[in-house]
Amino acid sequence: MTVAPRRQPTLEEVAERAGVSRSVASRALNNAPHVSPAKREAVERAVRQLGYVPNPTARALATRQTGAAALVVSGEDPSIFADPFFAQVIVGASTALEDADLHLMLCLAASDRGRKRVEELLRSKGADGVLLMALREGDPLAGMAEEAEMPVVFGGRPVGVAPRWYVDVDNVGGAREATEYLISRGRTRVAAICGRLDTEAGRARYRGYRDALLGAGLDPLPPQEGDFTEPSGAAATAVLLKQHPDLDGIIAANDNMAAGALRTLRAAGRAVPADIAVVGFDDLTVAQVADPPLTTVHQPITALGREMARMLVAVINGHDPTPLILPTRLVTRSSA
Amino acid sequence: MTVAPRRQPTLEEVAERAGVSRSVASRALNNAPHVSPAKREAVERAVRQLGYVPNPTARALATRQTGAAALVVSGEDPSIFADPFFAQVIVGASTALEDADLHLMLCLAASDRGRKRVEELLRSKGADGVLLMALREGDPLAGMAEEAEMPVVFGGRPVGVAPRWYVDVDNVGGAREATEYLISRGRTRVAAICGRLDTEAGRARYRGYRDALLGAGLDPLPPQEGDFTEPSGAAATAVLLKQHPDLDGIIAANDNMAAGALRTLRAAGRAVPADIAVVGFDDLTVAQVADPPLTTVHQPITALGREMARMLVAVINGHDPTPLILPTRLVTRSSA
DNA sequence: ACCTAGTCTGGGATCGCTTCCAGTTTCGTG
DNA sequence: CACGAAACTGGAAGCGATCCCAGACTAGGT
């Protein structure tokens, strides 16, 4: 019964077949008012018979809305994206965007080429809004985003400034709680393997560590910087062991580095948690799989993505939502 | 609330400013022939002065090309996407797409809503092409993709049929090699924790295991099915240990499940690899971090994504590339 | 000086949809 | 029964590019 036409049917043809004008057909499709039930029905029938699907591009041109939001992940090279963290953000963002009927474009601003394309996207309004993540200090993307007259929601704050719209996790609080936990269990010589200090997350987590130690009247160690990868955690631990042989606790700025720490400690013959307690941050799969399973600061990553997307949708719809800080929670397993 | 003070300059304005017609300006922009050097220069200057950026939507409408490719990940629920596997595919696909100046749209066809949106995308030609992954047996997406008159490249073959264009990994060969390795090291009672048997990867890897055992004159065990997650690997191992207390080797269909196996074995007091050897598949980070580090079948995941994207670009450009099977390679660490 | 071949140019049609707006119906009310 | 408001309708004007094509202009050959 349904005729398979060569070219895609257009709204014009639908209208003709339904015996109405294009405008009425359009209104019927977008169930806008001012369409009599009879014609609405006729249009629907014609749509069904013709197998009509509206052309998103034409619609976009007319409405000046692309129907898509971009998730931009900044970084020096694409491998940053291999962190399972982003996958979870995407899951959250994707479902929220789906609810708003927006598509998700993914932009890895890793290469120069990638950054250039993001800039073009921003300037050409190639999306209705942008979710911006993993900015480092002095990242040119921050400025571009500012200039672009486009809704931008930040995932995690950029270093130093607080943008108008962002969703972040309570990094300071989480790190503080973890460190306090270590202290409460009698650890007194606790070091921090912190993430890159050119990211706000790296800094904030170190601050949380420092605050906790100072609060307990203990001396914080200077930051031992890693880059959020497992090898960097292993390397940092080696350095720490050499510098402070009497260490009895390590708090890492993420689970990957904590896993690296476990590896080095195992190789060095230090028992975890008997000799040294280790705490991670993120609560990704690796924390559960590690041996021993990691005590870690859980952060609601999927919720982060979801709330970012929701906030973006709100901004797109003309609202002015307030920034959001998501809570963290310490998950105790056996590494501390 | 809508802010629309300074409208973006249009090609028309650029042309006027450069003292040429729209057509010439357009040609100059797309550096097409039939534009004198002088006017080309004038257009470029005008573009610079006005800060003009072409409107991608308008261009898309006129050229009937969206400038985007969609990566569709099928699954029962969004958590499937949490597998770091996909992140790596994305990295590969993203860079290749970047080279072709295509944007990447990410579609998680997990919910009903998600699937419906993918169908719409397919039917409305909302993208220039589609990368389709993680199809299960009887997945409706396969049919939709077939019907849609749109270039579709499969990542991994769907169960049973071989589509026209796909990139896959040598699952059978990889699993066979891993199993043969176990046998060559003197293991004789080897079990397979296989992935979902409604996926081709799950089946193929089991076939590789079976082929190797049969080839060595040993009896393959029936498939112990998992779902590619760590817990399912742990559970499957528990079952195997109960059914076959004399097991001396396990080959898991991916690293996650192998990690689960390690966890159960540790809990059961079996030494790895002394008592039981374990081999994984994928060679993700978890394989390196696991204790003991996993011997596993490395598959070139980023290359998979890259080649899929390249193939898609070829198809979009009117070519008819031949399907590709990427090689795997056994990486020996200490678990076997 | 004239004609031809070749290069440039720019007006206008087109892509498929939304939306404004003026004109037409419909309908309730006094 | 008349009248004004409200509900509908459909023609037409965009949205901002691309691209065809007829005509102008240039240059070279005779």
Side-chain angles (χ1 to χ4, degrees):
Chain A
M1 184 60 215
T2 18
V3 189
R6 284 193 90 45
R7 214 171 33 75
Q8 295 244 359
T10 72
L11 185 56
E12 181 88 51
E13 300 172 67
V14 170
E16 179 175 285
R17 174 145 199 157
V20 303
S21 77
R22 247 207 332 279
S23 338
V24 174
S26 173
R27 270 180 244 130
L29 245 62
N30 302 303
N31 43 26
H34 305 309
V35 179
S36 65
K39 303 217 163 184
R40 195 180 293 273
E41 165 60 29
V43 170
E44 276 164 15
R45 190 168 45 241
V47 164
R48 229 171 300 123
Q49 292 175 341
L50 258 31
Y52 169 79
V53 188
N55 177 320
T57 306
R59 192 198 294 258
L61 184 59
T63 59
R64 303 156 143 288
Q65 308 213 68
T66 63
L71 174 62
V72 175
V73 178
S74 183
E76 272 155 358
D77 66 300
S79 67
I80 183 188
F81 184 74
D83 193 320
F85 176 87
F86 293 107
Q88 293 204 38
V89 171
I90 289 176
V91 170
S94 168
T95 56
L97 252 21
E98 203 168 87
D99 290 340
D101 216 29
L102 287 174
H103 283 290
L104 205 205
M105 307 187 33
L106 192 58
C107 306
L108 306 192
S111 59
D112 282 341
R113 181 81 185 271
R115 268 184 289 275
K116 173 156 272 169
R117 296 186 77 215
V118 169
E119 177 170 10
E120 237 175 70
L121 183 84
L122 249 21
R123 302 213 312 144
S124 70
K125 297 212 195 320
D128 295 344
V130 170
L131 263 21
L132 195 45
M133 302 205 68
L135 287 195
R136 291 165 326 233
E137 190 165 22
D139 201 313
L141 244 40
M144 292 184 207
E146 210 62 38
E147 278 176 48
E149 295 163 13
M150 199 191 290
V152 177
V153 170
F154 288 75
R157 280 158 286 189
V159 175
V161 301
R164 182 155 174 197
W165 298 298
Y166 66 87
V167 180
D168 202 353
V169 155
D170 183 10
N171 287 308
V172 176
R176 189 184 330 110
E177 183 183 359
T179 311
E180 283 166 353
Y181 175 76
L182 246 37
I183 296 171
S184 77
R185 308 277 288 196
R187 311 288 172 162
T188 56
R189 294 172 304 282
V190 179
I193 299 177
C194 56
R196 301 181 52 130
L197 290 175
D198 59 355
T199 67
E200 181 60 21
R203 294 188 182 194
R205 291 177 195 174
Y206 179 72
R207 271 207 302 282
Y209 153 84
R210 201 197 44 196
D211 290 357
L213 283 194
L214 291 177
L218 296 171
D219 281 337
L221 265 45
Q224 185 64 40
E225 190 171 355
D227 64 359
F228 290 121
T229 64
E230 199 266 353
S232 78
T237 304
V239 173
L240 283 174
L241 285 182
K242 176 163 291 180
Q243 292 179 347
H244 313 279
D246 59 342
L247 221 55
D248 63 3
I250 291 179
I251 165 156
N254 75 346
D255 289 341
N256 285 337
M257 295 196 294
L262 291 182
R263 182 154 60 87
T264 294
L265 291 174
R266 189 156 52 228
R270 307 282 189 114
V272 175
D275 300 338
I276 299 191
V278 175
V279 182
F281 206 113
D282 278 354
D283 196 20
L284 298 174
T285 312
V286 60
Q288 306 170 46
V289 172
D291 175 37
L294 281 172
T295 288
T296 189
V297 180
H298 174 90
Q299 54 172 332
I301 308 182
T302 305
L304 174 67
R306 181 171 14 88
E307 295 307 327
M308 283 175 68
R310 282 201 188 143
M311 189 173 285
L312 183 62
V313 170
V315 177
I316 290 175
N317 291 334
H319 304 126
D320 183 8
T322 53
L324 203 58
I325 307 255
L326 268 19
T328 60
R329 150 174 75 79
L330 187 68
V331 176
T332 56
R333 298 207 177 85
S334 31
S335 73
Chain B
M1 198 67 219
T2 342
V3 194
R6 191 175 57 254
R7 214 173 34 78
Q8 297 242 358
T10 72
L11 186 57
E12 183 88 50
E13 301 173 67
V14 170
E16 179 174 282
R17 174 142 201 161
V20 303
S21 77
R22 249 199 346 271
S23 331
V24 174
S26 173
R27 269 180 245 131
L29 246 62
N30 303 301
N31 43 25
H34 303 310
V35 179
S36 67
K39 303 218 162 181
R40 193 179 294 272
E41 165 60 28
V43 169
E44 276 164 14
R45 190 168 46 240
V47 164
R48 229 172 300 123
Q49 291 174 342
L50 260 32
Y52 168 80
V53 188
N55 178 318
T57 306
R59 194 198 293 258
L61 183 59
T63 60
R64 304 158 146 289
Q65 306 213 78
T66 63
L71 173 61
V72 175
V73 178
S74 182
E76 271 156 358
D77 66 300
S79 67
I80 182 186
F81 184 74
D83 193 320
F85 177 87
F86 293 107
Q88 293 205 37
V89 171
I90 288 176
V91 170
S94 169
T95 56
L97 252 21
E98 205 170 85
D99 289 341
D101 216 28
L102 288 174
H103 282 289
L104 206 205
M105 307 186 35
L106 194 56
C107 307
L108 306 191
S111 59
D112 281 343
R113 181 81 185 271
R115 267 184 290 276
K116 172 156 273 167
R117 296 186 77 214
V118 170
E119 178 171 8
E120 236 174 72
L121 183 83
L122 249 21
R123 301 213 315 144
S124 70
K125 298 212 194 323
D128 295 344
V130 171
L131 263 21
L132 194 46
M133 301 204 68
L135 288 194
R136 292 166 325 236
E137 189 164 24
D139 201 312
L141 244 40
M144 291 184 207
E146 211 62 39
E147 276 177 50
E149 296 164 11
M150 199 191 291
V152 176
V153 170
F154 288 75
R157 280 157 286 191
V159 175
V161 301
R164 182 154 172 199
W165 298 298
Y166 66 87
V167 180
D168 202 352
V169 154
D170 183 9
N171 288 307
V172 175
R176 189 184 331 109
E177 183 184 0
T179 312
E180 283 168 351
Y181 174 75
L182 248 38
I183 296 171
S184 76
R185 309 277 289 197
R187 311 288 172 164
T188 57
R189 292 171 306 282
V190 179
I193 299 177
C194 56
R196 300 181 53 131
L197 290 175
D198 59 354
T199 68
E200 181 60 21
R203 293 188 183 194
R205 291 176 193 175
Y206 180 71
R207 271 206 304 280
Y209 153 84
R210 201 196 45 196
D211 291 356
L213 284 194
L214 291 177
L218 296 170
D219 281 338
L221 265 46
Q224 185 64 39
E225 191 170 355
D227 64 359
F228 290 121
T229 65
E230 198 267 353
S232 77
T237 304
V239 173
L240 283 175
L241 285 183
K242 176 163 290 176
Q243 292 178 349
H244 312 280
D246 59 343
L247 221 54
D248 63 4
I250 291 180
I251 165 155
N254 75 345
D255 289 340
N256 285 338
M257 294 196 295
L262 290 183
R263 181 154 60 88
T264 295
L265 291 174
R266 190 156 52 228
R270 307 284 189 114
V272 175
D275 300 338
I276 299 191
V278 175
V279 181
F281 206 115
D282 277 356
D283 196 21
L284 298 174
T285 313
V286 60
Q288 305 169 46
V289 173
D291 177 36
L294 281 173
T295 288
T296 188
V297 179
H298 174 89
Q299 53 172 333
I301 308 181
T302 305
L304 174 67
R306 181 172 12 91
E307 296 306 327
M308 284 175 68
R310 283 201 188 143
M311 189 173 286
L312 183 62
V313 170
V315 177
I316 289 174
N317 292 334
H319 303 128
D320 183 8
T322 53
L324 203 57
I325 307 256
L326 267 19
T328 59
R329 149 174 75 80
L330 187 68
V331 176
T332 56
R333 298 206 178 85
S334 32
S335 74

